[in-house]
Amino acid sequence: MRLGVIDVGSNTVHLLVVDAHPGAQPLPATSHKRLLRLSEHVTADGLIDDEGIRDLTQFVGECVQIAEDLGISELMSFVTSAIREAPNGQAVLDHVRDATGQSLRVLTGEDEARVTFLATRRWFGWSSGRLFGIDIGGGSLELATGIDETPDTAISLPLGAGRLTRTLDGDPPSAQDLRAVRAQVRTQIASSARTLTRWGTPDRYVGTSKTIRSLARMCGAAPSSNGPFVHRSLERAALADLVPRLASMTAEERTSLPGVSPERSAQVLAGAVVIEATMDIFGVERLDVCPWALREGLILRRLDALE
C-alpha cells in the first residue's frame, strides 16, 4: 500500500510518500517539501499571520493533489510547535481543512519525541540496547530514552534552532549574545537531565533531524548522496571545534561548508550550540546519525495499527 505523511514543522512543510505494508521496510516513493518558515510568520502576540496561513494552505493543497496523483491509500497530516503554540492555531487548522479538505493533527512535543524514538529503534534494532535519542527542529528539542520501542521518558524543550536564531542579533552574532544563548540552553537542558539519566546509562546515543545530519557532514560524515545505509556519526570533540568556527562566519559564508544549504545557514549555529550542549551535559562522545525520524515513525506507527 502507499501511505503519505505531511509534516508541518516550524521551518519546512514536507510530504513523504512510501510504499509499505506491515512487517516490511517503508520504501520512499517520493518526497516533496517547501521551506515556509512558519516560525517567522508569528506576530508579537504569538499569532500566525495571514501570509503564513496563506502559504501553508496553498502548500497543503499542493501536497493533497500530489497524493491523489500518486494513488496514495491514506494521507496523514501533522503539525508541530509553530502551530501548537499559536493562540490562533485552531483557526489556522480550520482554515486549512476548509480550503483543502485535509485535517492537520497537532502533535505534542512529547509525542514527537516518542514517535521519533520508535523510528530510531526500528532503524538500529534491539541489539542497540538502551537508546538515547536527540532530535532538534526549528522550534523545539526532543529527548527520549528507553530499552523498548516506547521510551521510558520523552521530553520536549523550546530550544529549536530557528527559535534561538531569532534571539541572536548580528551576522555573525556578537560573542556576548552567543554566550547568553549558550547559558540559556545549558540551563534548560540541565534542569531536565535527571528525568532522563535516572533510567541508567544508554548503550547507544542517536541523533536525528536535518540539523544533526548537517553538523555531522561538516564534521566529516559521508554526504547524503552516498545513500542512507552508510554509517554516519557526530563526534563531540569535532563539534566543539566547529561551533566557534561557525560563530565567526556570516550566514552566507557558512554556505561554503559541506552540508549547509542557503536556507538553513543562518540557524545552523544555534543548532550546533544546542547539540553541543546536549552532548556535553549528558556525556555523549559520539552520536550515531539515524536517517529515519518523525515522518518515518508516524508511518511505522500507522502500519503497526493496520497489522
Side-chain angles (χ1 to χ4, degrees), residues 41-233:
H41 290 283
V42 177
T43 68
D45 297 327
L47 303 171
I48 304 294
D49 65 23
D50 290 343
E51 182 181 357
I53 296 172
R54 184 191 66 237
D55 290 349
L56 174 62
T57 303
Q58 187 274 329
F59 190 66
V60 170
E62 188 176 309
C63 290
V64 170
Q65 183 61 59
I66 291 173
E68 292 176 355
D69 293 344
L70 292 175
I72 287 179
S73 304
E74 183 177 347
L75 180 62
M76 302 172 284
S77 305
F78 299 86
V79 300
T80 53
S81 62
I83 293 180
R84 72 170 174 248
E85 296 175 5
N88 65 334
Q90 188 58 54
V92 174
L93 300 179
D94 292 342
H95 183 275
V96 172
R97 183 197 62 224
D98 293 344
T100 69
Q102 188 67 26
S103 295
L104 305 179
R105 173 186 162 193
V106 178
L107 281 179
T108 66
E110 181 180 317
D111 205 24
E112 276 191 67
R114 290 181 176 277
V115 173
T116 302
F117 186 87
L118 169 63
T120 60
R121 170 60 74 189
R122 293 285 177 89
W123 183 267
F124 286 109
W126 296 110
S127 62
S128 293
R130 173 169 292 279
L131 288 179
F132 188 106
I134 302 173
D135 178 60
I136 183 172
S140 59
L141 169 72
E142 276 72 48
L143 304 172
T145 184
I147 59 173
D148 298 320
E149 292 193 336
T150 300
D152 297 316
T153 295
I155 65 172
S156 179
L157 300 172
L159 297 175
R163 185 195 298 267
L164 293 174
T165 298
R166 293 193 297 277
T167 70
L168 290 170
D169 293 325
D171 183 24
S174 69
Q176 181 178 357
D177 281 355
L178 193 59
R179 279 198 304 271
V181 166
R182 182 180 184 273
Q184 171 198 346
V185 166
R186 287 176 176 256
T187 297
Q188 290 196 48
I189 294 173
S191 67
S192 301
R194 177 58 181 160
T195 304
L196 294 142
T197 57
R198 66 189 180 93
W199 296 98
T201 302
D203 299 297
R204 189 170 206 158
Y205 294 92
V206 177
T208 67
S209 77
K210 175 62 175 176
T211 294
I212 291 178
R213 292 196 300 272
S214 295
L215 293 174
R217 179 73 183 99
M218 281 183 276
C219 291
S224 58
S225 58
N226 286 16
F229 300 110
V230 174
H231 180 263
R232 297 174 176 87
S233 63

